[in-house]
Amino acid sequence: RALLEAALDAPDEVDEEEEGLEVKVEDQKSLSVGIIGAPNAGKSALTNFMVGTQVAAVSRKTNTTTHEVLGVMTKGDTQICFFDTPGLMLKKSGYPARDIKARIESAWNSVNLYDVLIIIFDVHRHLTRPDSRVIRLIERIGSEPNTKQKRILCMNKVDLIEKKKDLLKVSEQFKDLQGYERVFMISGLKGSGVKDLSAYLMEQATERPWDEDPFTMSEEVMKNISLEVVRERLLDHVHQEIPYEIDHQLVDWKDLRDGSLRIEQQFLTQKESQRKILVGKNGSKIGYVL
């Protein structure tokens, strides 16, 4: 019921910590958090909300994230690094689904590398269109214990549930699930329930130096964000399988004398027909994307 109350509450407001205060290395605490789940479960939306800025593309299309994305949240003496991973699924055989790209295999191989592993799933889809592959994923992760890692289950998109009593039904279904420390009901997009999740993660941090400079966003991170922003618009405006078959690359990143930044990116298509669809008549489609 406490979970339900948190889900019913208004979106949490992120606590503002004092900025500009330097924390001594010996006082620093760190935590690495991996976020996994089926495609379109809301991993990227949760990552962006926790970090407080867009670091990952968010789209209604599945398989939006094609590589591991890093987001960093620093509060007080604690720094948490979130790793948003590509969507994972299990076939009926119980084994990971194969993909023509190595990204899925890479995501599976990295599961045990994090201090905390968040398994997130779309509770609204679970209630309306249950997917047995998602259940297998949740059970598979819970059945493979790792004494060096804590695993938590996040029921996401609670804001889409009209009858809140349905959330209790789902909570009842997973109450005896093995291998999970905690279960949270959240809305990664709107922030409901995220404050409790954030507090829990802060408690798990251990004393060790931070991995990232909290006051300066590295050029590498900014480059990744620029690619993610454009990729999100590509997914929103170009349909069918074309966005997934396009090779999207950063070509140039240059600080100009007037203080502005010039970013050049390129799309490499596999077919001439894909290029025509991407560009559109008189460049109309590519204009929407960029």
Side-chain angles (χ1 to χ4, degrees):
R1 291 187 177 278
L3 291 173
L4 179 59
E5 290 175 1
L8 289 170
D9 287 341
D12 299 324
E13 295 182 0
V14 179
D15 294 331
E16 295 184 0
E17 299 287 339
E18 293 185 14
E19 297 181 358
L21 297 179
E22 184 175 348
V23 179
K24 296 180 180 178
V25 174
E26 57 268 26
D27 295 330
Q28 294 176 358
K29 297 180 181 179
S30 295
L31 188 74
S32 63
V33 179
I35 305 178
I36 71 168
N40 211 32
K43 300 179 294 296
S44 297
L46 176 60
T47 300
N48 291 339
F49 190 91
M50 297 292 280
V51 174
T53 187
Q54 178 166 350
V55 294
V58 177
S59 173
R60 292 187 298 275
K61 292 186 175 69
T62 60
N63 292 310
T64 302
T65 302
T66 59
H67 58 279
E68 189 176 70
V69 176
L70 169 64
V72 181
M73 178 181 76
T74 305
K75 290 185 177 181
D77 60 1
T78 302
Q79 183 178 89
I80 301 178
C81 292
F82 295 92
F83 295 87
D84 175 19
T85 64
L88 298 178
M89 292 293 272
L90 289 182
K91 299 184 296 183
K92 290 183 179 180
S93 63
Y95 292 96
R98 293 188 177 278
D99 193 280
I100 58 174
K101 299 179 181 179
R103 59 187 173 86
I104 300 299
E105 182 180 351
S106 175
W108 274 105
N109 291 337
S110 64
V111 162
N112 289 306
L113 299 179
Y114 314 110
D115 300 319
V116 174
L117 187 67
I118 294 178
I119 295 81
I120 188 171
F121 77 100
D122 184 342
V123 67
H124 179 258
R125 179 185 174 90
H126 179 73
L127 286 167
T128 55
R129 291 175 294 156
D131 191 335
S132 59
R133 295 174 299 174
V134 174
I135 302 300
R136 282 195 292 272
L137 174 64
I138 295 173
E139 293 176 342
R140 166 76 176 272
I141 296 297
S143 66
E144 298 180 350
N146 182 342
T147 56
K148 297 182 179 180
Q149 181 186 76
K150 292 188 176 181
R151 294 172 177 173
I152 59 178
L153 184 65
C154 283
M155 302 180 186
N156 192 30
K157 304 187 183 181
V158 297
D159 55 300
L160 300 179
I161 308 299
E162 295 181 1
K163 298 179 181 179
K164 300 307 178 182
K165 64 180 182 180
D166 288 340
L167 291 174
L168 287 177
K169 294 179 182 178
V170 180
S171 179
E172 186 72 16
Q173 179 182 353
F174 291 104
K175 71 174 184 178
D176 297 323
L177 197 62
Q178 299 297 316
Y180 293 92
E181 294 278 332
R182 292 280 301 275
V183 178
F184 292 90
M185 289 185 181
I186 65 169
S187 169
L189 185 62
K190 296 188 176 181
S192 299
V194 174
K195 186 174 182 179
D196 289 338
L197 173 60
S198 178
Y200 170 83
L201 294 176
M202 294 285 285
E203 293 173 358
Q204 309 310 312
T206 58
E207 294 184 358
R208 69 168 183 258
W210 294 343
D211 294 319
E212 303 292 332
D213 185 342
F215 305 113
T216 304
M217 185 178 291
S218 69
E219 185 173 294
E220 181 181 356
V221 172
M222 289 191 291
K223 289 179 179 179
N224 286 334
I225 291 176
S226 74
L227 286 168
E228 290 297 310
V229 169
V230 174
R231 175 170 169 75
E232 180 177 311
R233 293 188 61 80
L234 175 67
L235 286 161
D236 286 341
H237 294 286
V238 182
H239 306 296
Q240 299 177 342
E241 295 302 315
I242 295 175
Y244 306 105
E245 297 178 356
I246 291 176
D247 189 8
H248 180 200
Q249 301 175 351
L250 181 67
V251 178
D252 191 30
W253 180 278
K254 184 181 297 183
D255 290 299
L256 303 181
R257 292 182 178 179
D258 62 0
S260 61
L261 177 65
R262 178 180 176 84
I263 303 173
E264 293 184 19
Q265 300 180 13
Q266 68 179 8
F267 296 121
L268 301 178
T269 61
Q270 299 179 12
K271 304 174 183 177
E272 177 68 18
S273 58
Q274 293 175 339
R275 185 191 69 81
K276 291 181 179 179
I277 293 175
L278 176 60
V279 175
K281 186 177 181 180
N282 297 323
S284 58
K285 181 68 70 173
I286 198 69
Y288 278 118
V289 173
L290 301 176

